[in-house]
Amino acid sequence: MDLRYSESEESFRSGLREWLAEVLAKLPPKPSHLDWPGRRAYDTTWQRMLFDAGYAGIDWPVEGGGRGASPVEQLIYLEELERAHAPYVGVNFVGLLHAGPTVIVEGTPEQRARFLPPILRGDEVWCQGFSEPGAGSDLASLRTRAERDGDEYVVTGQKIWTSHAEVADFCELLVRTGPEDSRHRGITWLILPMDRPGIDFRPLRTIAGSTEFGELFLDGVRVPVANRLGDENDGWRVTMTTLSFERGTAFVGEVLQSMELLRGLRAIAQSTGAWDEASVRRRVGHLGAELDALWALARRNVSQAARTGVPGIGGSVYKLALSELRQRIADLGMDLAGSAGLVFGDIPGARNGPVGNLEIVSTWVHSFSRTIAAGTSQIQRNIIAERILGLPKG
Amino acid sequence: MDFELSEDEVALADGMRRLCAGRFPLDRIRAAEGERVVIDPSGWSELADAGVFSLRLAEDAGGLGLGTAAAAVVFEELGRALVPGPILASHLAAGLVEGAADGKVMVGAVHKPRAHGAAPVVIEHLGSLGALVVVGDDALALLDPAALDAVAVDRSLDPLTPLWRVDHLPAGDAVGGPDDAARWRRDASVLGGALLVGLAAATVDLAVAYAKERRQFGKPIGSFQAVKHLCADMLVRSEVARAAVHAAAVTIDQPDVGDALRAAAGAGLLAVEAAMANGKTCIQVHGGMGFTWEVPAHLYLMRARVLADELEGSDTLAELVAERY
């Protein structure tokens, strides 16, 4: 076990750190989270800056136009971006982390040439059409229908939890092409251009009051057969290949961000006098120990991926532990806030700590999504029990 | 950066696991339940020959010259196998107490009582000890166990950790100052943590094996989500604590990579919790059988409680992390 970075890893880090220090000052001001066109412009500008500096698609293989960085370099990349408070991947999430990697593995040469470069340059934005009102954790039960009509599919159905649809150019869409009960054997992966007639999008309001995702209604939308990735009815396997890109780095930024949040909460406790209470100090210490442990686990998962070339199953352990820990850190923030926690916003005139009241309250409300999105904690426990511990399926 | 076990570390763990399976199978360990001496001198010298006590001692001092990471890997196996005896104290005393490293002397340890006469002092394995280290805030002192006015405790919580009680603990001879005491506590957190992680991991195996085999309502109880999720949580606790213990051990060996004191305190804290919670859950998964003496689930929980006592208290460890966060 060795936690020291090699010379080449350190040189990758220092090059990135220098570039970040120079370039972040040139970023335009961050738009309001309600301003979708503004968010697209901001996120894609950042993506273009990464592209011009050779950092776009850090985890993509070189043949897909990416940087082909090693898993350890990917870890360093995420660590440095977090430390420098660089923008998040934002509206480029689906393109860079889902659709792009899938097109690299499963796409035809024409599809790769058409779709990959615009994702890397930040020219085109993607959204995801996987989940449906009746197909959440049980994704293989999806019902959105695609009927073949000549060289087109005609798609009718409904998707949900689609993020960035307002500003997306394409949607990675899973449709039912086999019989109704064909489950994972009758699913096809399509690239849906979002400017086609028959698409309607209705935003959903989250418990944070924001609109981060919504429902996508598809009524006779025509998609060229040329936009199919992989074979008809082979979409489930195509979808699974996306996962093979992950190198133990998912949610790595989040553990570092949580450490900074906890340090901020500690500073607040010290300034308000709450730090005089042993129970508060012990809570901070306990949460800190858990974050340190998860940062260690992240490095272990990345090391394993570096050796084996495939993501370790340890990702489920990490995701489950981190999302539940994140909620307990958010709880501490609300407890320290006291009555200010009733206010969903910053309080004028209040002492400005390192973590503002809005951030405390918003972090708390958002923390409830962590144990639901990307596989609920209950599904993660099933995965751990069945795939790691070998317990029988129910 | 490569935070997986190296080939050497894997070989060390395998070697220790084989030694434990051959020399300390559970039925042989259990034969000493309730005895005043739970590990015989030949067993102890086999541990010494395998380097359990001299592992981190410099080669020119007769040790193996290995690091804390290597020791953590070995200790995890000793914990997993439930090997009894004052292993942690004897290891920490190597180089400090004559005869500890080569297994000639079994060394025990006890925290220096904070408030004089507040509670009786309980000493583990006293009847086997050749030396006793008193761990104070700022000093380590050495006592001759034979000279203590000690009363054997009729029954101990862990049937494999016999206890003695003394009303008054003499000051003893100083063998270390504040740095030695701080190092003792730090290393006890990490290597005691490694023993605890071994216990926590062993209970996962035990609970999962039972959940696969025990059938109710016509199927293995491990197919029910209520049971599955208990087992999944056990694995999460032991893997998270394991990563923490390994990271703390590496940080002691490679001081530039982090704050070893913070890492050690956090590792001890999480390891105690993982072993205690997993011990309880293991009993629960076994149902009524888990409450019987025959099923060994309780032994892991009781040993965890013993080891928790060898570390600083969880509140102290949590405050240590908070101070340095």
Side-chain angles (χ1 to χ4, degrees):
Chain A
M1 294 181 276
D2 193 345
L3 289 174
R4 295 166 300 191
Y5 291 94
S6 71
E7 220 166 281
S8 79
E9 287 161 353
E10 287 294 5
S11 122
F12 173 78
R13 184 192 295 279
S14 60
L16 176 58
R17 193 175 283 187
E18 274 168 41
W19 177 74
L20 283 168
E22 178 196 326
V23 82
L24 287 179
K26 295 181 195 156
L27 267 179
K30 219 177 156 179
S32 146
H33 75 279
L34 299 171
D35 173 12
W36 277 103
R39 281 173 73 171
R40 173 177 169 139
Y42 182 83
D43 294 346
T44 53
T45 300
W46 169 238
Q47 182 58 31
R48 181 62 196 231
M49 288 160 114
L50 287 168
F51 178 81
D52 290 341
Y55 289 115
I58 187 92
D59 52 336
W60 288 22
V62 176
E63 56 271 28
R67 176 148 180 147
S70 73
V72 176
E73 285 172 342
Q74 292 175 39
L75 184 81
I76 293 170
Y77 171 85
L78 293 168
E79 198 183 352
E80 289 301 318
L81 259 65
E82 194 60 52
R83 285 205 173 135
H85 300 281
Y88 292 112
V89 63
V91 301
N92 301 301
F93 181 89
V94 174
L96 281 169
L97 279 85
H98 260 268
T102 312
V103 170
I104 291 173
V105 178
E106 300 291 336
T108 61
E110 293 74 26
Q111 287 170 332
R112 288 204 290 267
R114 164 63 190 86
F115 292 109
L116 297 178
I119 293 175
L120 289 171
R121 281 198 305 264
D123 291 344
E124 286 176 353
V125 167
W126 286 61
C127 62
Q128 187 181 65
F130 280 17
S131 299
E132 297 181 4
S137 295
D138 181 14
L139 184 61
S141 69
L142 64 89
R143 288 166 55 190
T144 292
R145 189 81 217 158
E147 300 288 354
R148 183 80 178 253
D149 180 23
D151 56 1
E152 287 181 318
Y153 286 103
V154 183
V155 182
T156 299
Q158 185 188 346
K159 294 290 175 180
I160 196 167
W161 316 129
T162 309
S163 299
H164 320 131
E166 296 98 325
V167 293
D169 303 292
F170 294 98
C171 177
E172 49 168 4
L173 189 71
L174 291 185
V175 293
R176 171 81 43 212
T177 37
E180 208 171 293
D181 60 353
S182 57
R183 294 194 51 89
H184 55 271
R185 294 178 309 278
I187 291 171
T188 298
W189 209 104
L190 296 180
I191 300 168
L192 166 69
M194 291 295 283
D195 58 1
R196 294 269 150 156
I199 301 177
D200 189 22
F201 177 72
R202 276 185 229 154
L204 284 165
R205 195 166 179 217
T206 70
I207 62 171
S210 54
T211 54
E212 289 155 37
F213 43 64
E215 296 170 289
L216 198 59
F217 298 89
L218 306 167
D219 183 12
V221 182
R222 304 188 82 87
V223 181
V225 170
N227 279 21
R228 188 184 70 211
L229 210 63
D231 290 336
E232 192 168 283
N233 293 330
D234 199 25
W236 187 260
R237 189 193 57 76
V238 171
T239 304
M240 292 301 127
T241 64
T242 313
L243 304 174
S244 72
F245 258 79
E246 211 273 307
R247 289 288 176 271
T249 56
F251 308 107
V252 154
E254 206 167 295
V255 77
L256 298 165
Q257 187 204 352
S258 300
M259 284 178 176
E260 188 172 335
L261 174 63
L262 185 63
R263 282 192 291 271
L265 295 178
R266 180 188 193 269
I268 288 176
Q270 283 171 327
S271 73
T272 61
W275 195 248
D276 296 339
E277 288 174 45
S279 64
V280 170
R281 297 195 299 274
R282 287 169 194 166
R283 261 174 97 180
V284 169
H286 201 286
L287 295 167
E290 290 180 83
L291 282 171
D292 285 351
L294 290 183
W295 176 228
L297 193 58
R299 284 175 289 177
R300 169 147 295 165
N301 289 342
V302 166
S303 301
Q304 194 189 342
R307 177 175 57 87
T308 61
V310 291
I313 190 82
S316 284
V317 171
Y318 176 76
K319 197 271 180 186
L320 174 60
L322 179 60
S323 55
E324 300 199 339
L325 173 57
R326 176 86 182 174
Q327 285 178 354
R328 285 184 284 120
I329 296 171
D331 288 341
L332 173 67
M334 282 297 267
D335 289 348
L336 291 174
S339 341
L342 303 179
V343 180
F344 204 127
D346 280 319
I347 298 174
R351 189 168 14 181
N352 270 332
V355 189
N357 198 65
L358 174 61
E359 187 182 345
I360 287 176
V361 176
S362 172
T363 297
W364 188 66
V365 175
H366 276 105
S367 75
F368 303 117
S369 72
R370 309 281 171 155
T371 49
I372 301 168
T376 66
S377 289
Q378 287 64 42
I379 290 291
Q380 300 296 344
R381 286 186 172 89
N382 284 352
I383 291 172
I384 291 167
E386 290 166 11
R387 288 170 55 192
I388 305 183
L389 299 176
L391 288 168
K393 283 187 178 285
Chain B
M1 196 279 288
D2 181 1
F3 193 44
E4 283 203 293
L5 268 64
S6 69
E7 272 175 39
D8 287 349
E9 287 159 348
V10 170
L12 261 177
D14 286 349
M16 189 47 58
R17 199 182 284 221
R18 273 197 306 276
L19 172 70
C20 291
R23 185 60 183 77
F24 302 103
L26 190 57
D27 55 346
R28 204 182 302 176
I29 289 176
R30 294 200 68 175
E33 279 174 9
E35 302 285 337
R36 301 265 119 225
V37 173
V38 291
I39 180 162
D40 57 39
S42 75
W44 197 255
S45 68
E46 278 187 64
L47 291 178
D49 292 346
V52 168
F53 311 118
S54 60
L55 212 134
R56 293 193 301 156
L57 205 57
E59 282 177 270
D60 53 19
L64 298 181
L66 295 175
T68 309
V73 163
V74 166
F75 272 57
E76 193 177 318
E77 294 305 324
L78 292 164
R80 190 192 302 272
L82 218 56
V83 177
I87 294 173
L88 180 60
S90 293
H91 172 94
L92 295 175
L96 209 64
V97 177
E98 186 70 32
D102 55 15
K104 298 265 190 313
V105 176
M106 276 195 209
V107 185
V110 64
H111 299 291
K112 185 177 180 181
R114 289 191 189 267
H116 193 69
V121 179
V122 173
I123 301 170
E124 302 161 14
H125 301 288
L126 187 73
S128 305
L129 300 182
L132 180 66
V133 175
V134 183
V135 184
D137 284 341
D138 301 313
L140 299 176
L142 199 60
L143 283 178
D144 175 8
L148 287 175
D149 185 13
V151 181
V153 171
D154 284 342
R155 195 179 148 195
S156 49
L157 180 73
D158 172 15
L160 291 160
T161 305
L163 302 173
W164 280 258
R165 192 169 53 74
V166 293
D167 290 329
H168 170 69
L169 202 63
D173 304 320
V175 284
D179 290 351
D180 300 296
R183 195 179 318 117
W184 183 291
R185 282 195 297 271
R186 180 195 71 184
D187 294 1
S189 247
V190 176
L191 296 179
L195 290 169
L196 286 155
V197 163
L199 294 173
T203 55
V204 179
D205 294 346
L206 208 58
V208 167
Y210 188 75
K212 284 178 184 171
E213 162 207 309
R214 168 73 175 164
R215 296 177 73 87
Q216 285 289 274
F217 305 102
K219 35 182 139 164
I221 60 167
S223 63
F224 300 116
Q225 286 192 346
V227 175
K228 244 178 215 177
H229 290 190
L230 288 179
C231 295
D233 285 338
M234 289 175 81
L235 184 77
V236 171
R237 282 190 293 261
S238 73
E239 284 301 304
V240 169
R242 190 165 185 255
V245 165
H246 287 175
V250 173
T251 308
I252 288 174
D253 296 340
Q254 303 172 350
D256 290 347
V257 303
D259 177 348
L261 274 182
R262 165 172 140 189
L269 177 67
L270 297 184
V272 166
E273 278 185 4
M276 292 294 293
N278 279 13
K280 294 173 193 172
T281 310
C282 187
I283 291 174
Q284 180 68 23
V285 170
H286 280 80
M289 288 308 294
F291 196 64
T292 65
W293 192 267
E294 178 193 342
V295 169
H298 63 113
L299 297 177
Y300 295 89
L301 175 61
M302 303 317 169
R303 183 67 60 80
R305 181 61 182 80
V306 167
L307 288 168
D309 202 58
E310 294 182 18
L311 271 60
E312 293 174 273
S314 291
D315 287 345
T316 308
L317 292 171
E319 292 214 39
L320 251 166
V321 177
E323 224 169 81
R324 307 179 74 86
Y325 208 74

